Amino acid sequence: MKINKEEKTPWICDKCNKELQLSEIKVVYLGGSFEVELMQCPECKMVLIDETLALGKMIEVEKGLEDK
């Protein structure tokens, strides 16, 4: 049996047991806001914030606020 390395295991909402879908989300954090595509549950609307966003863009917003 061949395994297709391009296939990815879907993210599943723990609460609703639905597959997360990529959605355009407006994120508001420490008074700053920006839009980003994130994985979101189609039923309960919970959003998965990945490490890249949490340690990248959100830190930029924090530093921008500290500089003011």
Side-chain angles (χ1 to χ4, degrees), residues 25-36 49 58 61:
I25 306 293
K26 182 177 180 180
V27 178
V28 178
Y29 183 68
L30 295 176
S33 66
F34 50 95
E35 289 193 7
V36 64
I49 297 177
M58 289 182 164
V61 171

Side-chain angles (χ1 to χ4, degrees), residues 2-63:
K2 286 180 130 179
I3 296 175
N4 184 350
K5 292 183 179 181
E6 292 181 18
E7 283 186 33
K8 296 181 181 180
T9 303
W11 286 96
I12 304 295
C13 179
D14 189 49
K15 179 180 176 186
C16 304
N17 202 34
K18 301 282 185 185
E19 185 175 331
L20 301 185
Q21 300 173 348
L22 197 57
S23 301
E24 188 77 19
I25 306 293
K26 182 177 180 180
V27 178
V28 178
Y29 183 68
L30 295 176
S33 66
F34 50 95
E35 289 193 7
V36 64
E37 283 191 330
L38 294 173
M39 299 301 288
Q40 181 180 45
C41 175
E43 190 165 313
C44 71
K45 304 300 182 195
M46 291 293 285
V47 175
L48 173 68
I49 297 177
D50 65 15
E51 184 177 13
T52 304
L53 177 61
L55 297 178
K57 187 68 175 175
M58 289 182 164
I59 286 177
E60 286 179 31
V61 171
E62 285 181 18
K63 287 182 180 180

